[in-house]
Amino acid sequence: MGNWYHYRTVEAAELKQRPEGEKVRLLGWIASKREHGGKIFLTLRDRSGYVQVVADKSLCDPAVFEQVSDISKESSVAVEGLVSQDPRAPRGAEVHVTDVAVVAKSEPWPITLSALKSPGFLYDMRHLTVRGTKTRATMKIRSELLNGAHRFFEENGYVWIQTPTFITSASEGGATLFQVEYFGDKAYLTQSAQLYEEAAICAFEKVYVIQPSFRSEKSRTRKHLTEFWHIEAEVAFATHDDIMEIEESLVHTMISAVTENCQGELSELQATRVESPELPFPRIPYDEALSIIEKKGFKIEWGDDFGAREEKAVSEEFEDPFFVTKYPVSARPFYQMPDPEDARLTLSSDMFAPRGFGEITSGGQRIHEYDMLVKRLKEEGLDPKDYQWYVELRRFGMPPHSGFGLGLERTVRWILGLSHIRGAAMFPRTPDRIYP
Ligand code: ATP
Ligand code: MG
């Protein structure tokens, strides 16, 4: 076997710019293969995209033609050939083979047409199906959303921090904590980096994290994973209004990164309508959202948080993202700052994706005063001792501050219109799935 490391002279996506008849060398995988009228048509996939490779029996060296006809789907290959600028070819240019070698052979590909009808099987085979056009495009878009997020934070003076996965107390309620054994003690997997970010703002003012959060969600909905990627930020001296502006600008930048760099992927997914939503996003108070929900026939008490059904009902009324603001104290965690104008409410909001998709962020102002935080912990039946370091921050110069968390997979699901959130993760984790 040859050494293929420096074999390639061109990538699939560059071929349209190459002169007719140029000899090129490609590396990639055989995404598809068909024979017709004495010709074999291969689709070669590489990092950059796809290109059609043609072996013509009447023009090709017979030994090369033979080799091409033996290649199995999803083998990795090295191809040498001549560029042909043919507007009838699927991607404008194609390559006429002059030589070929199999770098690593694939056994018969198990993802048959009938397998495509079984989502369970396709997820069992995710280590292979990740190469499929749709999954590949989705993951490329996900990557670009993250690039956009990093760019936003970098351009706005944030420090990227990393916080622990093993923790000892809940930030988002005990019911969804995953417990792990920690050298004879109990520990949990993190639900959010927020509490640690709050410590870090006194060093850096503006911080963000992009890392997994874990939730033992018993509700098996189409929008819950047990492990998801969480984009969270915390900002010193920021109000609740400031944080909503930051959230909407972040989402705008993330989607712009996709529309600028992923037009090919968007058209593979027939999602070419994706565009960055206009700023600012509408803001509606909790009470207004509640009346939309009630008008649609759902029964919900004032003060309750919205479930998946209620979120769907409200967000169906919108074509673009929006905020629901001023949640009641009873619908928010202990750390949320009460509204000084109405003690029943908090300075908090959720960003909702439109068209039924529902919540994608939660944010607001945090309590920075010691006594108020201790009081709220006790009201929630929590022991301030379990939050000792977090509470103590309030004795050492903690200024007013606000922050939020955004779910990456929820965002992918919304912009690509996926029916289930698992399609937004390369190797999704749900109550029923921890393999592969
Ligand atoms: P929900 O009520 O929709 O279950 P939450 O209010 O419990 O979500 P937060 O604690 O506010 O979630 O987390 C911030 C963001 O993280 C959410 O707005 C959402 O985008 C994302 N997120 C939360 N839980 C999950 C999950 N189980 N799977 C995927 N994303 C999640
Ligand atoms: Mg929330």
Side-chain angles (χ1 to χ4, degrees):
M1 150 107 41
N3 174 350
W4 303 111
Y5 298 117
H6 302 290
Y7 178 87
R8 172 160 41 199
T9 59
V10 68
E11 292 186 339
E14 298 166 316
L15 281 160
K16 257 194 283 185
Q17 283 83 49
R18 291 303 179 115
E20 179 75 18
E22 185 189 6
K23 185 169 262 187
V24 292
R25 296 203 306 249
L26 293 149
L27 288 176
W29 290 258
I30 301 302
S32 72
K33 179 179 170 189
R34 65 188 172 87
E35 297 196 43
H36 183 69
K39 291 183 182 170
I40 302 171
F41 298 92
L42 305 173
T43 306
L44 180 136
R45 178 186 72 244
D46 69 12
R47 189 196 71 84
S48 71
Y50 299 85
V51 64
Q52 178 158 283
V53 172
V54 188
D56 186 334
K57 195 165 194 173
S58 60
L59 303 173
C60 212
D61 178 301
V64 172
F65 190 82
E66 181 79 26
Q67 272 176 299
V68 172
S69 77
D70 280 349
I71 294 176
S72 53
K73 183 169 151 69
E74 287 303 330
S75 295
S76 53
V77 296
V79 171
E80 183 191 73
L82 304 173
V83 176
S84 163
Q85 293 297 346
D86 185 347
R88 291 165 307 168
R91 287 168 184 87
E94 57 186 26
V95 171
H96 291 255
V97 185
T98 52
D99 201 3
V100 71
V102 172
V103 177
K105 180 179 164 192
S106 172
E107 290 183 18
W109 190 242
I111 321 300
T112 56
L113 275 181
S114 64
L116 293 179
K117 296 195 192 101
S118 161
F121 177 74
L122 293 179
Y123 279 100
D124 287 343
M125 302 302 273
R126 193 70 160 173
H127 52 300
L128 299 180
T129 54
V130 67
R131 305 179 195 190
T133 315
K134 288 216 155 69
T135 311
R136 202 170 158 272
T138 306
M139 294 307 140
K140 177 73 199 315
I141 287 167
R142 174 183 162 122
S143 160
E144 208 52 57
L145 285 170
L146 286 173
N147 285 339
H150 279 299
R151 193 171 76 210
F152 173 84
F153 288 122
E154 205 179 297
E155 284 173 359
N156 288 285
Y158 288 71
V159 173
W160 181 19
I161 61 164
Q162 292 74 38
T163 67
T165 300
F166 290 126
I167 54 149
T168 53
S169 39
S171 54
E172 306 306 312
T176 65
L177 279 175
F178 274 113
Q179 189 177 313
V180 290
E181 201 266 349
Y182 197 78
F183 304 107
D185 263 340
K186 268 194 282 186
Y188 308 99
L189 300 182
T190 181
Q191 302 167 303
S192 158
Q194 180 196 320
L195 308 192
Y196 295 96
E197 284 184 314
E198 287 185 59
I201 55 167
C202 293
F204 303 115
E205 287 191 29
K206 296 167 151 192
V207 298
Y208 75 104
V209 307
I210 300 185
Q211 57 196 36
S213 282
F214 303 86
R215 308 266 175 110
S216 169
E217 301 275 9
K218 294 181 187 85
S219 55
R220 294 167 193 236
T221 75
R222 297 177 162 267
K223 51 173 222 147
H224 287 95
L225 294 167
T226 51
E227 175 174 357
F228 67 96
W229 275 67
H230 214 166
I231 302 180
E232 294 174 271
E234 207 64 34
V235 183
F237 311 111
T239 62
H240 172 224
D241 284 332
D242 295 336
I243 214 72
M244 283 192 284
E245 278 178 33
I246 293 166
E247 289 176 51
E248 63 193 359
S249 307
L250 167 68
V251 167
H252 191 271
T253 309
M254 289 169 69
I255 299 180
S256 299
V258 170
T259 55
E260 282 159 26
N261 301 317
C262 296
Q263 279 308 325
E265 286 77 12
L266 289 171
S267 60
E268 299 276 13
L269 296 169
Q270 285 155 7
T272 42
R273 284 181 320 137
V274 171
E275 52 185 56
S276 296
E278 256 176 58
L279 299 176
F281 299 171
R283 283 122 165 90
I284 63 163
Y286 171 90
D287 284 357
E288 193 177 324
L290 196 68
S291 71
I292 296 175
I293 291 166
E294 282 169 347
K295 269 195 208 118
K296 290 187 140 185
F298 296 105
K299 293 260 168 305
I300 165 169
E301 291 288 310
W302 189 93
D304 285 351
D305 195 7
F306 304 143
R309 263 183 351 171
E310 290 85 18
E311 285 180 18
K312 183 163 176 289
V314 185
S315 66
E316 275 167 355
E317 301 301 302
F318 290 78
E319 278 299 314
D320 285 302
F322 59 99
F323 287 99
V324 176
T325 66
K326 294 193 181 262
Y327 276 84
V329 171
S330 52
R332 299 308 262 200
F334 66 87
Y335 51 69
Q336 206 80 72
M337 179 66 104
D339 184 346
E341 283 166 18
D342 185 341
R344 301 170 312 145
L345 305 179
T346 56
L347 298 177
S348 73
S349 52
D350 285 359
M351 187 194 294
F352 276 52
R355 289 180 272 110
F357 286 99
E359 175 184 337
I360 56 171
T361 80
S362 276
Q365 186 168 338
R366 323 305 193 185
I367 296 174
H368 62 283
E369 288 161 12
Y370 185 91
D371 292 341
M372 191 190 285
L373 185 63
V374 169
K375 176 170 161 277
R376 281 293 296 127
L377 277 163
K378 287 183 179 159
E379 282 170 3
E380 294 293 318
L382 297 165
D383 186 349
K385 276 208 217 75
D386 291 340
Y387 293 86
Q388 193 185 340
W389 67 261
Y390 180 72
V391 176
E392 189 175 277
L393 287 170
R394 276 74 190 159
R395 290 172 39 217
F396 294 94
M398 174 64 95
H401 62 282
S402 301
F404 68 92
L406 172 146
L408 176 64
E409 292 84 0
R410 294 242 179 122
T411 310
V412 174
R413 177 176 180 235
W414 155 48
I415 67 168
L416 298 180
L418 306 180
S419 63
H420 196 293
I421 193 168
R422 66 187 170 183
M426 185 118 89
F427 295 104
R429 294 291 180 254
T430 63
D432 319 306
R433 179 165 297 282
I434 193 168
Y435 174 93

